[in-house]
Amino acid sequence: MVGAGHPLEQRGATGDVQPASPAIVPGTLPHFIQEPEDAYIIKSNPIKLRCRAAPALQIFFKCNGEWVHQNEHTSQEYKDQNTGLKVREVMINVSRQQVEDFHGPEDYWCLCVAWSHLGTSKSRKATVRIAYLRKNFEQDPQGKEVPIKGMIVLHCRPPEGVPAAEVEWLKNEELLSSLTDGNIDTRADHNLIINEARLADSGNYTCLASNIVAKRRSATAAVIVFVNGGWSLWTEWSSCNVPCGRGVQKRSRTCTNPAPLNGGAFCEGMSVQKITCNAVCPVDGGWEEWSEWTVCGSQCERQRRRECEAPAPRHRGKMCEGNSEATENCTGGLCTQSVDGSTEVALYSGLGAGVIAVAVLAVGVMLYRKNHSDYGVDVIDSSALTGGFQSFNFKTTRQGNPLLLNSSMQPDLTVGRTYSSPICFQDAIDKELFDPLPDIKVKVQSSFMVSLGVAERAEYHAKSAPETYPRGLTRDCSTMERRKKGPLTPKGPLAPTKELLRATSVFGHLGGRLMVPNTGVSLLVPHGAVAEDTSWEMYMVINQGEASVQTDAGCEILLGPEVTYGPPGLDLSSPVAMTIAHCAELDAESWDVQLKRKAQDNTWEEVMSVEEESTSCYCLMDSTSCHLLLDQPGSYALVGEPLTQTAVKRLKLAVFGSMGTSLMDYSLRVYCVDDTPHAFQGVVATERSRGGQLLEEPKMLPFRGNTFSLQVSIQDVPQLLWSIKPFTTCQEFSFPQVWCSNQQPLHCAFSLERYSPATTQLSCKISVRQVKGHEQILQIYTAVAENEKETVPFLKQADCTITSQTGPKAFKIPLSIRQRICATFDTANAKGKDWQLLAQKLHLDRNLGYFAQQPSPSAVILSLWEARHQDSGDLDSLASALEEIGKIHSESFPRNQDESDSDYNHIGPSCLASMGEKVELTNNDTEDTAPDYTG
C-alpha cells in the first residue's frame, strides 16, 4: 500500500519523501469539504475512508506516517456549480489484516493531504479499529427480595467491547424505559434503580448489552417484592364463656392488615388475648303465697292470685312455672245461680266415656303382658356379643341407671353355645358379618344402644347343641359399629360421613382396654378403677362428620379426631388413660396445643394447655400420640394454634388407581390427609367402595404454616402410550384448604387414556410439593388389565377388627408386680415420696402436682406408662428404671441399717424376673436382709 515509486515523489532539501509539487495554478489553499471519519472493522469487512477538498490539484492519504501508494487511491474530480471551483474526492480501503499487522503506540490512523498552487492542507486524523464484544458480563445482576416501598438496585457491568457496549434493561422480556416511568432510573453506570418498590415491580430482570458487532444478555435476576404481615385491630371482647361465676373473655386479631404476601414475615405476637371475667349468676323467679279467695261471683266461681316476686327473676333467670291465677267453682251453698239440666247430662256422659276408656286400656295391658311374660324386660345384655353370643333374659327388672350392671342381681342365663376364643368381626370384603356362626340364634339389644336410641335386634343361627356357659369366662371382644356398606359419593375432597365409629364393652374391678381399630384411639381402664361387685358398660365414640370444635378466627386447627367416652354417669376411683393420635410436629416454640372438652351447652371449653401444669387432668405429648389422664367422661379434642410460620403438621400422601368407565381409561387419585390413622380410614373406605388399588406405599410430607399452597403434578407419563387431559398435569390446593382440613381428606384425580389395548403397563411419577417447602415423589409402576378389580392390598386387615380386652391380659405389667410396685413407691421414706423418683426414671416427671393428689400416685404413673407403651409391649425400660432405683437406694442406706425403709435397698429379684428375667441385681449381698419388693 505504501511504496517509494509514487509518480509525484521527489526528494527535498531535507530528504523527506513527499509528492512532487504540481504546477502552480492561481487560487487559494485547499479547503476540506469532507474529512475522513473514525471507522470500525466488523468481522472481515474492509472499511472505506473518504476525503473531499476544493480547490485541490491532488489528494493523497497518509496512514501511520507513511504515504499510501497512488494505485490504492480511487479519485474523481468535478466542478462545484455554486463556486465554480474544482472539487476532488479520494477514497481508500483499509482491511482487517492491515490493522492487525500494525503494531504502534497508538491506534491505526489515516489523514488526507491536499495540494493547490498556494500550498497544502491536512485533514484530521481518522482512527480505524477492529470492533468486537466479548461474551461474558463483568458483573451480572443478582436476584433480590425487597419489602414493598423499599429501594431496588440492580448492578450490571457489560462485557468488554469496541466500541463500548450500550446497556438496556428488560423486565419479563419487555424493554424498560425511565422516560415513561419516573420511579425507574437507568444511570450512566448501567445500574437499574427503582426508588420505591411496588408489587408490580416483581419480575425477571435482564441486562442487555449491545454494540455494532453483537448483543449480549446477562443472567436473569428474579426480583420479589414481598409484604410483611400486619395485625388487624383487636375485635371486641367476647362475652364471658360461662353463664355464671368466673370465666374467660377473649378477643382476637388477624394477620391481614396487610396479609403476608410473597413470603413476607408473619405477624409477631399473640393473635388471641384472654382475661378473666365474672358473670352475674341468673336468679330464677319464685312464687309468693296465694292471695285469699275472692267472693263467689255470679258465674259460681271464685279466684285467687300470686306474684312471681319471691324472688323476682333477674339476670336472665327463669320465670316462674305455673299459673299466676287460680279459679274454682263455689261450694257450700254460697252460689245461688241455677244449673241447667243439659249441663248435668253432658257432665255425666263425659265421666261414663272416661271409665269405659280406662277399662279397655287395662284389658289391653293385661293381654300384652300375658303374651310377653317369657321375657320380663326387653333388654338383653351386650355381653351376648362378647362372650360367645349366648342368649339370656333378665327375670328381674333393673333399677336406677340402665348402664350400671350390679353383680348382686343374678341374671337367669339361657345358654346357646360356649366359645373359648373371642369372636371377631372380619373385614367386610373377606366375609359377611358373623359368618363363623351361621345358625346360632341370639337376640341382642345393648343397653348402650338403648341409651343412644338406636337399638336394633340382630338374629343369628347355629346348628350346635346348647351347652352351659361358664359364668367366670372373661369376655374379650366387644361390639363396634362399622361404617355402612355402599358407594360413597365424594363431595369436595371426600364424602364426609356422619356415622359414629364406636366401641363398647363391660368392665369390672379388673379393668381393661378399649381400642377402635386402625384409628390410633384407645381407652385404658386401670385395675381397681371400678368398684368391686360393680360393672360398667363403657363406650368410646369417634366423631366421623365435620369437626364440631369451633376454632378462633381460623387460627386453631384440629390435630386429631374428636373422641367421646362414657357413659355420663360413670363413677371411677382413678382416672382412665385415653390415647389420641395427632398430626403435629411438636415444637414448643411453634405450637400452642390445647385440650378442649364439650360443655353441656355443646360449646367447647379449654381444659388445659399442654405446656401448662394442671391438677384437673394430665396430658403427655409424644411424637405421634397424645396420652390423657381423665376423670370426667365426655367429648375431648386436641386443638393446636401455630405460633410461627415454622409450625409443621404432617400429611399422609397416598395414590390409588382404578379402571375408568371405558376399558381404555385409567384414573389416578392422589390423597392428602392429616397424618393420623383415623383420618386415613376415610380414604380407605372411599377407595374400597370404588375398587381402588394402592399403587405406592403412603408417604409423609411435612407441611409448613408459611401460607404457601400445595401443588400436585404428574410427571414422566409415556407420551407414546398414554394421553392425559390437557391442563390437568398440575393441580393445586390453597393453603387454607390444606392447613384447615381438620381430619377431612383432600384429593385430586388424573384421568389417563391409553392409545392401544395392548398397553398393559403404566409408569409415572406423582410429585407433591409445598411452594417453598418440602416435596415427596410417589413412584407409580402398575399393571393395567381389564379384569383387574382387586381390593387394595394395603387395606386388608388380618387382625381382629373388634379389639376390647378385659382383665389382666389387657395390661403389659402383671397385676401382682403392679400391686407390689404401688405398695412400695406410695410409701414415704426419709427422702420423701419415692413415686416421684419412679416418675423421673420413667420420664414422666412433668406436672407432678397431678400425681400428688391421687390416692395412689404410682398406680396412675403405671397406667400412663401402659398407655404410652401399648404398641411396643416392651418391659425392658420399666425393668431398667426399677433396677436403677434399686441401685440408688442401695447406695443411700448401709447394709447394717435396720429400719423400716430397708425395703428400698434393692429391687426384689422376683419382681424383675417376672418382667422377662433381663435385669440382674447388683447388690446380691443384701438378699437375705431385704424383703422381696413388698410395701
Side-chain angles (χ1 to χ4, degrees):
M1 174 177 176
V2 179
H6 197 286
L8 299 179
E9 280 186 353
Q10 64 178 13
R11 293 189 178 272
T14 59
D16 294 337
V17 178
Q18 56 183 0
S21 300
I24 296 176
V25 179
T28 61
L29 286 175
H31 169 68
F32 283 96
I33 302 173
Q34 179 181 358
E35 295 183 275
E37 297 179 351
D38 296 339
Y40 297 94
I41 295 179
I42 302 174
K43 296 182 179 179
S44 298
N45 300 321
I47 56 97
K48 299 182 183 293
L49 297 180
R50 301 173 185 272
C51 276
R52 186 183 301 159
L57 299 177
Q58 290 289 345
I59 302 176
F60 289 97
F61 273 93
K62 194 174 189 179
C63 294
N64 302 318
E66 297 183 359
W67 294 103
V68 178
H69 198 280
Q70 65 179 1
N71 294 336
E72 297 181 15
H73 291 71
T74 301
S75 63
Q76 62 180 352
E77 187 178 53
Y78 58 90
K79 188 173 183 180
D80 190 342
Q81 298 297 329
N82 296 325
T83 61
L85 298 176
K86 288 185 178 181
V87 178
R88 180 173 290 273
E89 180 179 341
V90 177
M91 180 179 67
I92 65 171
N93 290 332
V94 179
S95 67
R96 182 186 184 98
Q97 187 67 39
Q98 289 174 293
V99 177
E100 288 179 347
D101 291 342
F102 173 71
H103 301 286
E106 53 186 350
D107 292 332
Y108 191 100
W109 60 269
C110 293
L111 58 80
C112 293
V113 180
W115 283 268
S116 71
H117 68 286
L118 295 180
T120 63
S121 297
K122 292 183 179 180
S123 70
R124 61 177 295 274
K125 284 184 178 180
T127 59
V128 180
R129 304 175 67 185
I130 299 176
Y132 67 92
L133 183 63
R134 303 200 182 279
K135 292 183 177 181
N136 297 326
F137 278 72
E138 296 183 4
Q139 182 178 4
D140 285 309
Q142 302 296 318
K144 293 179 179 292
E145 292 185 0
V146 183
I148 194 167
K149 295 187 178 180
M151 177 178 286
I152 302 175
V153 179
L154 297 179
H155 298 280
C156 176
R157 292 176 60 190
E160 179 186 352
V162 173
E166 296 181 355
V167 170
E168 295 175 307
W169 284 92
L170 301 179
K171 176 193 173 185
N172 299 331
E173 302 303 324
E174 294 184 1
L175 190 64
L176 277 179
S177 174
S178 58
L179 299 178
T180 58
D181 191 345
N183 196 35
I184 297 177
D185 182 10
T186 53
R187 300 194 172 182
D189 55 2
H190 310 309
N191 296 334
L192 173 65
I193 298 177
I194 301 177
N195 297 313
E196 279 194 7
R198 301 155 296 189
L199 288 177
D201 293 325
S202 297
N204 297 320
Y205 288 82
T206 308
C207 183
L208 184 64
S210 61
N211 64 4
I212 59 176
V213 180
K215 290 184 178 181
R216 307 288 186 218
R217 292 170 58 96
S218 70
T220 299
V223 174
I224 299 176
V225 180
F226 62 86
V227 179
N228 292 325
W231 288 114
S232 66
L233 296 177
W234 288 102
T235 61
E236 297 295 329
W237 287 103
S238 66
S239 58
C240 205
N241 67 336
V242 295
C244 174
R246 184 180 179 86
V248 175
Q249 285 181 285
K250 296 181 180 179
R251 68 173 183 175
S252 61
R253 56 180 179 175
T254 57
C255 190
T256 56
N257 187 30
L261 190 64
N262 294 338
F266 200 77
C267 303
E268 296 182 357
M270 301 299 294
S271 62
V272 178
Q273 281 186 344
K274 300 178 182 180
I275 59 173
T276 58
C277 58
N278 289 293
V280 180
C281 295
V283 177
D284 295 337
W287 289 114
E288 292 180 339
E289 295 294 331
W290 285 103
S291 64
E292 295 294 332
W293 288 104
T294 62
V295 179
C296 190
S298 61
Q299 299 297 323
C300 298
E301 292 178 344
R302 61 176 182 176
Q303 295 86 24
R304 63 175 180 176
R305 294 180 55 83
R306 58 179 177 174
E307 299 294 337
C308 186
E309 298 291 342
R314 290 175 301 175
H315 311 307
R316 304 179 307 280
K318 296 180 181 178
M319 291 294 294
C320 302
E321 296 182 357
N323 296 324
S324 60
E325 295 183 357
T327 303
E328 70 175 10
N329 289 332
C330 301
T331 59
L334 297 178
C335 182
T336 60
Q337 183 174 352
S338 62
V339 178
D340 191 359
S342 62
T343 305
E344 287 189 6
V345 173
L347 175 63
Y348 289 119
S349 298
L351 291 176
V355 171
I356 292 172
V358 171
V360 172
L361 180 61
V363 172
V365 170
M366 293 176 64
L367 292 176
Y368 178 82
R369 294 185 63 182
K370 184 177 179 179
N371 293 334
H372 294 76
S373 60
D374 294 336
Y375 293 98
V377 178
D378 195 18
V379 177
I380 297 179
D381 196 287
S382 63
S383 58
L385 290 180
T386 62
F389 305 104
Q390 76 281 10
S391 175
F392 57 87
N393 302 313
F394 287 164
K395 297 300 183 181
T396 307
T397 303
R398 297 182 185 175
Q399 304 292 332
N401 189 343
L403 302 180
L404 180 60
L405 306 180
N406 194 332
S407 60
S408 64
M409 300 170 61
Q410 298 298 330
D412 181 17
L413 305 180
T414 303
V415 180
R417 179 165 174 79
T418 301
Y419 290 90
S420 58
S421 62
I423 303 299
C424 300
F425 293 178
Q426 301 298 329
D427 196 289
I429 296 177
D430 300 329
K431 289 190 176 184
E432 293 297 327
L433 210 59
F434 296 105
D435 187 51
L437 304 176
D439 290 319
I440 292 182
K441 186 172 183 180
V442 182
K443 292 182 179 180
V444 179
Q445 188 168 358
S446 168
S447 59
F448 168 70
M449 297 178 184
V450 173
S451 68
L452 293 180
V454 293
E456 296 178 0
R457 292 188 176 179
E459 293 190 357
Y460 315 99
H461 303 272
K463 298 177 181 179
S464 304
E467 298 179 10
T468 302
Y469 186 83
R471 183 174 299 178
L473 180 64
T474 303
R475 292 167 286 197
D476 296 329
C477 287
S478 64
T479 64
M480 182 190 70
E481 296 193 8
R482 304 285 296 186
R483 299 180 181 180
K484 293 182 179 178
K485 302 175 182 62
L488 299 179
T489 56
K491 179 182 179 183
L494 196 67
T497 172
K498 295 183 179 180
E499 300 176 15
L500 297 180
L501 194 64
R502 54 178 172 250
T504 178
S505 185
V506 178
F507 295 102
H509 185 68
L510 294 178
R513 191 190 303 266
L514 268 180
M515 288 181 289
V516 181
N518 307 320
T519 62
V521 177
S522 65
L523 185 73
L524 181 75
V525 182
H527 169 79
V530 180
E532 295 187 15
D533 300 329
T534 305
S535 297
W536 281 97
E537 185 179 24
M538 299 179 60
Y539 62 86
M540 184 165 54
V541 179
I542 299 179
N543 179 18
Q544 288 292 92
E546 295 291 340
S548 63
V549 177
Q550 299 298 322
T551 56
D552 295 334
C555 298
E556 297 178 344
I557 62 172
L558 194 62
L559 299 180
E562 300 173 11
V563 182
T564 303
Y565 84 94
L570 187 63
D571 183 17
L572 302 179
S573 61
S574 60
V576 298
M578 178 185 289
T579 298
I580 303 176
H582 67 80
C583 60
E585 287 288 342
L586 294 179
D587 184 356
E589 297 180 356
S590 300
W591 283 102
D592 177 19
V593 181
Q594 299 174 356
L595 178 66
K596 292 196 173 185
R597 182 176 184 271
K598 184 182 285 188
Q600 293 182 351
D601 57 354
N602 288 332
T603 60
W604 288 84
E605 58 185 11
E606 180 181 343
V607 178
M608 68 173 294
S609 176
V610 172
E611 297 300 323
E612 298 174 354
E613 295 195 355
S614 172
T615 57
S616 61
C617 61
Y618 190 97
C619 184
L620 175 65
M621 295 291 291
D622 282 343
S623 58
T624 58
S625 296
C626 172
H627 309 286
L628 306 171
L629 294 176
L630 304 172
D631 294 311
Q632 299 180 12
S635 299
Y636 293 89
L638 202 64
V639 173
E641 179 182 357
L643 302 179
T644 65
Q645 289 191 6
T646 60
V648 173
K649 82 167 185 176
R650 301 186 308 274
L651 296 179
K652 178 171 286 188
L653 310 177
V655 57
F656 294 82
S658 64
M659 297 295 296
T661 55
S662 169
L663 295 180
M664 306 296 286
D665 295 338
Y666 195 79
S667 177
L668 294 177
R669 294 177 294 278
V670 183
Y671 291 86
C672 305
V673 59
D674 292 351
D675 188 16
T676 62
H678 160 260
F680 191 61
Q681 289 307 301
V683 177
V684 171
T686 299
E687 286 300 323
R688 179 178 288 127
S689 66
R690 290 177 171 176
Q693 285 186 294
L694 185 69
L695 304 182
E696 168 70 331
E697 190 75 14
K699 295 185 178 181
M700 191 276 289
L701 176 72
F703 188 79
R704 296 177 56 192
N706 58 3
T707 71
F708 286 100
S709 59
L710 187 71
Q711 296 178 346
V712 183
S713 60
I714 185 170
Q715 304 172 0
D716 299 344
V717 178
Q719 300 295 324
L720 299 178
L721 303 177
W722 292 86
S723 67
I724 186 171
K725 289 184 178 180
F727 309 111
T728 62
T729 56
C730 183
Q731 303 181 40
E732 186 168 3
F733 294 114
S734 66
F735 175 80
Q737 281 182 290
V738 183
W739 190 254
C740 303
S741 60
N742 286 341
Q743 304 288 298
Q744 297 298 317
L746 302 170
H747 91 287
C748 61
F750 298 98
S751 298
L752 294 92
E753 182 180 359
R754 49 182 172 171
Y755 292 114
S756 169
T759 302
T760 60
Q761 303 288 335
L762 172 62
S763 63
C764 61
K765 294 179 182 179
I766 301 292
S767 169
V768 185
R769 63 177 291 270
Q770 183 185 16
V771 179
K772 294 195 176 181
H774 295 82
E775 180 182 18
Q776 277 285 17
I777 299 294
L778 299 172
Q779 180 68 53
I780 308 302
Y781 185 81
T782 183
V784 179
E786 291 81 353
N787 59 353
E788 192 166 350
K789 291 290 184 179
E790 299 179 0
T791 56
V792 183
F794 182 73
L795 307 178
K796 291 184 179 178
Q797 305 293 338
D799 299 331
C800 176
T801 56
I802 311 300
T803 53
S804 170
Q805 294 177 311
T806 59
K809 57 185 173 183
F811 303 96
K812 307 297 181 184
I813 306 174
L815 178 58
S816 59
I817 295 179
R818 177 187 177 94
Q819 291 173 338
R820 291 158 66 186
I821 292 176
C822 294
T824 300
F825 287 103
D826 286 342
T827 305
N829 68 354
K831 291 192 173 182
K833 291 287 186 179
D834 266 13
W835 61 262
Q836 299 183 17
L837 186 58
L838 176 65
Q840 177 185 352
K841 295 304 177 183
L842 295 180
H843 308 290
L844 302 174
D845 52 345
R846 195 181 64 83
N847 199 5
L848 294 179
Y850 178 83
F851 298 128
Q853 69 172 4
Q854 303 297 327
S856 175
S858 301
V860 179
I861 291 173
L862 293 179
S863 297
L864 188 59
W865 185 91
E866 287 268 8
R868 194 178 193 182
H869 296 84
Q870 58 180 313
D871 295 329
S872 63
D874 185 9
L875 293 174
D876 287 349
S877 61
L878 179 60
S880 300
L882 295 177
E883 180 187 19
E884 189 173 350
I885 294 174
K887 292 179 181 180
I888 294 175
H889 282 287
S890 297
E891 296 171 358
S892 303
F893 298 97
R895 284 190 302 169
N896 57 358
Q897 181 177 355
D898 297 328
E899 296 183 0
S900 61
D901 42 12
S902 62
D903 298 354
Y904 301 94
N905 289 355
H906 76 298
I907 303 300
S910 62
C911 175
L912 298 177
S914 301
M915 291 189 293
E917 300 180 354
K918 296 181 181 180
V919 181
E920 296 182 1
L921 299 179
T922 57
N923 297 307
N924 294 328
D925 54 344
T926 62
E927 275 185 319
D928 297 332
T929 60
D932 265 354
Y933 202 84
T934 58

